[in-house]
Amino acid sequence: MLKSEFHYDLPQNLIAQSPLPERSASRLLCLDGATGALEDKSFRDIEKLLRPGDLLVFNDTRVLPARLFGRKETGGAVEILLERLLGERLMLAHVRASKAPRPGTWLALEAEHRVRVVERDGDLFLLELAGEEPLQTVLEQIGHMPLPPYITRPDTSADLERYQTVYATRPGAVAAPTAGLHFDTELLERLRGAGIDMARVTLHVGAGTFQPVRTENLEDHRMHAEYCEVGPEVVKAVERARGRGGRVVAVGTTSMRSLETAASGGSLRTFSGETRLFIKPGFRFNCVDALVTNFHLPESTLLVLVCAFAGRRETLAAYRHAIAQAYRFFSYGDAMFVTPNEPAANR
């Protein structure tokens, strides 16, 4: 399929620049992939959409304050966006500067911290932090939350809490699993009380999630690698849900990719390692029955994933409806509850 088949036109004023005062106050567009039927709801209505015995699967990754600012030895400004921690003082990162720094040069950061450029591999730089302090500690001291490029304002102290899910426990992401941003503690407690089971996977979202698809033919696109972990407790939770007739509901595309990576052999098994899974139309879903997700950028791998699950025509029609109804888009925007286009084909 072609990238251009997943294009839509979005007015800039619908890109949410800040979160709503309350997490669960977002709107929720429900898409029945089998029929294309749409319903406009509040996110708090998810309690009515889920059934006792259903299993919600969350991504518990925690976003690092992964954006650093500094200067080259020549005085030029530098912006560093962490891609991945490789050790206590080593990181793989994107570096933005008027001229790319060469291996061996030093970059001065805030609070007298410094990093050395070890080597460059394409768009990524291997950087080494000077001194004895661990890199994660330095990030907590001087790092900024890595808001996506379509959020045009500077990050604020409020983003430290709001660009993070309330259940985030495992540091390692440089972008939030945004479908989870709508859940607050009160809503989670109500869902538990209603008989909804919950499990957690981990996928450390990389900066590559914002990289555009550069090939027109989707078959030629190579997905970025991200660390993913599906533990034995998740496998058992899915088995319990299946045994009682419940559905497996992925909260976010990262949870879906984690589950379907671990179920790539036909049944869900434990998994720990890198995933490059690119879910596109024709993919056979082995685990997920429903999806909670935000709205995604035109021609992005995430939009392609939703189209693979709910149907391209149905998904793009839902997006046109969302635009007409002035839904808020992307990371701090509204959400969708999506069921599959061909339920029988998923088993």
Side-chain angles (χ1 to χ4, degrees):
M1 300 191 77
L2 302 180
K3 175 180 70 171
S4 54
E5 295 180 70
F6 299 88
H7 181 77
Y8 68 92
D9 294 315
L10 179 69
Q12 291 295 302
N13 66 298
L14 295 185
I15 300 176
Q17 295 296 310
S18 298
L20 295 175
E22 297 180 31
R23 289 178 181 267
S24 60
S26 300
R27 298 167 72 187
L28 182 68
L29 177 59
C30 300
L31 167 61
D32 183 336
T35 65
L38 298 170
E39 286 188 90
D40 299 302
K41 293 182 177 293
S42 162
F43 194 82
R44 295 186 181 105
D45 290 329
I46 196 168
E47 187 174 352
K48 303 170 186 175
L49 298 170
L50 298 171
R51 311 164 191 157
D54 281 350
L55 172 68
L56 282 174
V57 181
F58 299 95
N59 180 6
D60 65 3
T61 188
R62 186 169 183 82
V63 183
L64 295 165
R67 180 168 277 123
L68 298 166
F69 296 97
R71 294 200 170 273
K72 296 189 288 187
E73 293 170 316
T74 56
V78 172
E79 179 182 331
I80 297 170
L81 178 60
L82 172 73
E83 173 69 27
R84 184 175 300 193
L85 292 172
L86 298 178
E88 280 209 339
R89 285 183 292 281
L90 278 177
M91 64 175 162
L92 204 59
H94 301 266
V95 177
R96 180 184 297 177
S98 57
K99 187 175 180 180
R102 295 180 179 179
T105 59
W106 287 91
L107 307 176
L109 307 177
E110 298 172 38
E112 300 184 350
H113 293 291
R114 296 193 306 157
V115 292
R116 182 174 65 91
V117 180
V118 178
E119 61 182 42
R120 179 181 182 181
D121 182 8
D123 294 334
L124 292 172
F125 292 75
L126 180 63
L127 305 178
E128 182 179 23
L129 178 70
E132 299 299 320
E133 209 164 6
L135 182 55
Q136 191 166 323
T137 301
V138 172
L139 290 173
E140 296 292 341
Q141 291 172 355
I142 65 172
H144 295 256
M145 286 303 271
L147 297 181
Y150 46 73
I151 294 179
T152 55
R153 62 173 176 81
D155 67 300
T156 68
S157 58
D159 294 306
L160 289 171
E161 185 253 337
R162 290 305 304 272
Y163 194 61
Q164 198 84 264
T165 64
V166 297
Y167 48 80
T169 55
R170 301 190 64 185
V174 299
T178 55
L181 297 180
H182 305 281
F183 291 87
D184 54 32
T185 303
E186 181 183 349
L187 178 57
L188 290 172
E189 287 303 315
R190 287 207 312 271
L191 292 173
R192 288 189 185 96
I196 309 302
D197 200 5
M198 300 180 189
R200 298 184 183 186
V201 297
T202 302
L203 187 144
H204 291 318
V205 191
T209 194
F210 299 118
Q211 295 300 310
V213 177
R214 294 189 171 91
T215 61
E216 177 60 15
N217 189 331
L218 294 181
E219 296 298 327
D220 297 330
H221 176 70
R222 179 171 169 78
M223 282 286 285
H224 55 286
E226 292 167 312
Y227 177 77
C228 167
E229 190 173 307
V230 177
E233 69 285 352
V234 179
V235 177
K236 292 175 183 176
V238 169
E239 290 173 351
R240 287 196 303 270
R242 292 274 183 258
R244 59 180 175 252
R247 297 172 298 174
V248 176
V249 182
V251 178
T253 58
T254 57
S255 294
M256 173 178 271
R257 289 181 61 233
S258 299
L259 290 168
E260 294 297 339
T261 294
S264 59
S267 61
L268 187 67
R269 300 180 183 277
T270 59
F271 180 87
S272 177
E274 302 287 317
T275 180
R276 290 183 178 271
L277 180 62
F278 182 10
I279 295 177
K280 48 189 181 292
F283 181 84
R284 180 180 175 84
F285 291 88
N286 292 312
C287 189
V288 176
D289 301 301
L291 172 67
V292 181
T293 185
N294 276 25
F295 294 95
H296 303 294
L297 276 73
E299 301 183 359
S300 64
T301 60
L302 304 181
L303 176 58
V304 172
L305 178 153
V306 179
C307 289
F309 188 65
R312 186 179 70 88
R313 181 176 59 187
E314 291 79 6
T315 300
L316 292 179
Y319 271 55
R320 289 192 295 271
H321 173 87
I323 291 168
Q325 297 299 314
Y327 275 71
R328 303 166 73 250
F329 274 64
F330 306 157
S331 292
Y332 276 146
D334 296 315
M336 296 182 72
F337 184 87
V338 183
T339 54
N341 182 255
E342 297 180 13
N346 290 345
R347 300 287 169 261

